Amino acid sequence: MKTYLKLVHLEIYRFRLVLLGLMAMTSAIQLIGLQLAMRDRLQAIRGQLTREGLSLAQYAERYNGIPLGEIWSHRESWMTFPIVICIGGIGLYIFLIWYRDWFGRSAFVYRLLMLPHSRFLLYVSKFTALMTFVFSLFALQIGIVAVQMTMYRLRMSDELRVPRTLVDTIRGMDLVLFIPVRLHEFLLVYGFGSVFVLLLFTTILMERSYRFKGLLAGLAYTAGTLMLVAWMWGQAERGTALLYPSELLAAAIALMLLNAALSLWLGRWLLRTKVAA
């Protein structure tokens, strides 16, 4: 356990500056974007009040207030752009977390493979570090939404304010894909994402073991799994399959769990027998 924790700390330490940069970028862009969106919306309301000769209370009675989600929709790109950048950065690091050790200075991976511990700890520690990065960004996004709710309460007048809970605000801002608010949604989104990381890990190790042939086999294995899950999901959405949607969903989950177990076993076997030290 001590060796495992040291390896996880090593991976987190190596990515810390990039992670902090992604966090700072996301916070700055989303908070500035909301501030600009509220400024533009309030200016538009003031202009409308002047043109129509309405009071603020009359405007609120006619339009039922301005919820945070509506304000957010006017600057949606400011909210989604940093999220996409974070997803892309983590996706790229799935490959860099392995290949940097091989192609970096002094081929650091060989020193790691020669350490007196199970090589599978390398696999598990890299996966743990990646999941730590993902959930750190997940927690940050929840914190940003909470700060945005505070900004909304302070900036928006009582007549225009529409009080909502954090969960309702996330739903209203269409962030449920990135911040699932139900337990089963969370398990589906991040469970499937975790299995996808394991599939890519297996592809990388197959490429390191068998070079081009291993790369093709790994990509085919990953693509085939994702296509099958996507097909099952589509059948459940359309309701055209022989099975009930809940049964298809259960089958897709079972398939992903089976692939996760297979990926872990294959990764351990490749590290132990095929990846040269």
Side-chain angles (χ1 to χ4, degrees):
M1 179 60 69
K2 187 176 180 180
T3 302
Y4 162 72
L5 293 176
K6 285 183 177 180
L7 290 172
V8 172
H9 175 266
L10 172 65
E11 297 296 344
I12 294 175
Y13 183 79
R14 295 162 84 181
F15 191 68
R16 71 193 187 286
L17 296 180
V18 179
L19 181 63
L20 291 174
L22 290 174
M23 288 181 165
M25 176 205 66
T26 301
S27 302
I29 292 177
Q30 291 190 352
L31 295 178
I32 292 173
L34 178 64
Q35 182 68 22
L36 295 176
M38 286 195 295
R39 182 201 63 185
D40 295 344
R41 192 71 178 92
L42 290 174
Q43 287 178 351
I45 291 173
R46 293 190 192 101
Q48 187 174 353
L49 292 177
T50 302
R51 290 192 305 270
E52 300 180 9
L54 297 174
S55 67
L56 202 57
Q58 291 172 327
Y59 179 93
E61 183 178 354
R62 177 181 296 182
Y63 296 102
N64 299 319
I66 310 296
L68 179 58
E70 181 182 334
I71 298 174
W72 182 88
S73 64
H74 292 282
R75 294 272 179 170
E76 187 172 355
S77 60
W78 285 66
M79 303 298 173
T80 56
F81 173 74
I83 295 176
V84 172
I85 293 298
C86 290
I87 293 174
I90 295 297
L92 178 62
Y93 198 69
I94 293 174
F95 299 93
L96 291 180
I97 201 170
W98 285 100
Y99 285 113
R100 179 186 55 187
D101 291 339
W102 260 285
F103 300 117
R105 229 172 7 184
S106 303
F108 186 63
V109 71
Y110 296 119
R111 296 167 60 187
L112 292 175
L113 292 174
M114 292 298 292
L115 291 175
H117 57 68
S118 172
R119 291 183 176 184
F120 189 60
L121 285 180
L122 292 176
Y123 188 104
V124 178
S125 64
K126 290 179 184 295
F127 178 76
T128 302
L130 275 169
M131 290 299 101
T132 301
F133 304 150
V134 170
F135 289 122
S136 296
L137 293 171
F138 172 82
L140 172 71
Q141 190 61 68
I142 295 177
I144 290 175
V145 174
V147 172
Q148 289 176 330
M149 291 175 64
T150 302
M151 294 170 59
Y152 170 78
R153 286 194 296 268
L154 293 175
R155 187 79 185 274
M156 198 65 59
S157 61
D158 294 338
E159 293 85 355
L160 298 176
R161 192 184 310 140
V162 179
R164 287 183 175 174
T165 64
L166 178 62
V167 171
D168 290 335
T169 300
I170 292 172
R171 288 199 183 103
M173 297 171 73
D174 294 329
L175 289 173
V176 290
L177 180 61
F178 310 108
I179 312 176
V181 294
R182 294 189 178 95
L183 179 60
H184 71 274
E185 293 173 346
F186 178 85
L187 294 177
L188 284 175
V189 172
Y190 287 94
F192 281 7
S194 300
V195 175
F196 180 65
V197 172
L198 293 176
L199 290 172
L200 290 181
F201 273 20
T202 301
T203 300
I204 292 168
L205 291 177
M206 290 180 71
E207 187 277 331
R208 288 288 83 197
S209 301
Y210 300 102
R211 297 303 187 264
F212 187 67
K213 292 181 180 179
L215 176 62
L216 291 180
L219 290 176
Y221 168 59
T222 301
T225 300
L226 296 179
M227 289 174 61
L228 182 57
V229 171
W231 176 81
M232 296 172 70
W233 193 287
Q235 292 292 309
E237 288 288 332
R238 291 192 296 269
T240 57
L242 296 177
L243 300 176
Y244 290 108
S246 60
E247 294 173 337
L248 272 172
L249 180 60
I253 293 174
L255 176 65
M256 295 303 287
L257 290 175
L258 178 63
N259 277 274
L262 179 60
S263 296
L264 288 169
W265 175 84
L266 191 56
R268 182 174 184 174
W269 179 74
L270 289 172
L271 279 170
R272 183 167 52 87
T273 62
K274 295 297 180 181
V275 177

